[in-house]
Amino acid sequence: IIDKALEQINSRSDILENYTLQYTEVQDSECSRGPALNSFFHDFNNDSQPTYISLLCCGCSVATIPVAEISDNWNIPQMAFAAAASVLSDREIYPSFYRPLPSFDLNAKTVSEMMRHFGWQQLLIITQEE
């Protein structure tokens, strides 16, 4: 699906003129600070790599936070599809970070309102450690 979308966008001259969208080899952050930073520096300090205009980053907050702290220095907007740590909402620290889901803070408010609405007294939440 991604290849087809990129093909359609790149074939049109009225979208992102003078740019060709592509993606590089997917790097595994291992949901860890060190591997995430190693991947970032490997790709961004490699002269044979194309010029980056955006970064789709890690799925977990632990790996996303350190990359979000430094990617702004290269003026590279970063999007993470599942990093929900509340600290990532701080635009002073992470001005180029975006995500398509709300932070943990908003999730907590939503869950408490849902419990109140349905009159629930208990709720079991199963989570994953990041």
Side-chain angles (χ1 to χ4, degrees):
I1 293 175
I2 292 173
D3 290 331
K4 186 67 174 169
L6 292 177
E7 178 185 320
Q8 289 181 2
I9 290 169
N10 289 332
S11 69
R12 293 183 50 181
S13 61
D14 61 324
I15 301 176
L16 299 174
E17 188 176 350
N18 298 322
Y19 285 95
T20 300
L21 294 182
Q22 62 186 22
Y23 59 92
T24 60
E25 179 182 338
V26 175
Q27 303 290 328
D28 183 4
S29 73
E30 301 174 26
C31 199
S32 179
R33 176 182 191 87
L37 288 170
N38 284 339
S39 293
F40 177 85
F41 285 117
H42 175 268
D43 283 348
F44 285 86
N45 288 325
N46 185 344
D47 290 336
S48 67
Q49 292 286 4
T51 301
Y52 289 92
I53 60 169
S54 184
L55 175 65
L56 178 61
C57 200
C58 321
C60 60
S61 298
V62 171
T64 298
I65 289 170
V67 176
E69 288 172 350
I70 61 172
S71 62
D72 186 56
N73 293 312
W74 281 268
N75 295 318
I76 300 170
Q78 176 185 350
M79 177 180 277
F81 58 91
S86 301
V87 68
L88 289 165
S89 296
D90 188 334
R91 303 306 283 168
E92 297 273 327
I93 300 171
Y94 309 103
S96 299
F97 176 78
Y98 303 92
R99 59 181 160 201
L101 76 158
S103 71
F104 288 135
D105 287 345
L106 185 58
N107 288 339
K109 292 175 188 173
T110 302
V111 168
S112 66
E113 288 178 20
M114 183 176 66
M115 290 182 68
R116 196 170 311 122
H117 173 78
F118 289 108
W120 296 344
Q121 299 298 312
Q122 294 181 335
L123 177 70
L124 172 64
I125 298 176
I126 300 173
T127 65
Q128 173 184 325
E129 289 288 325
E130 286 192 334

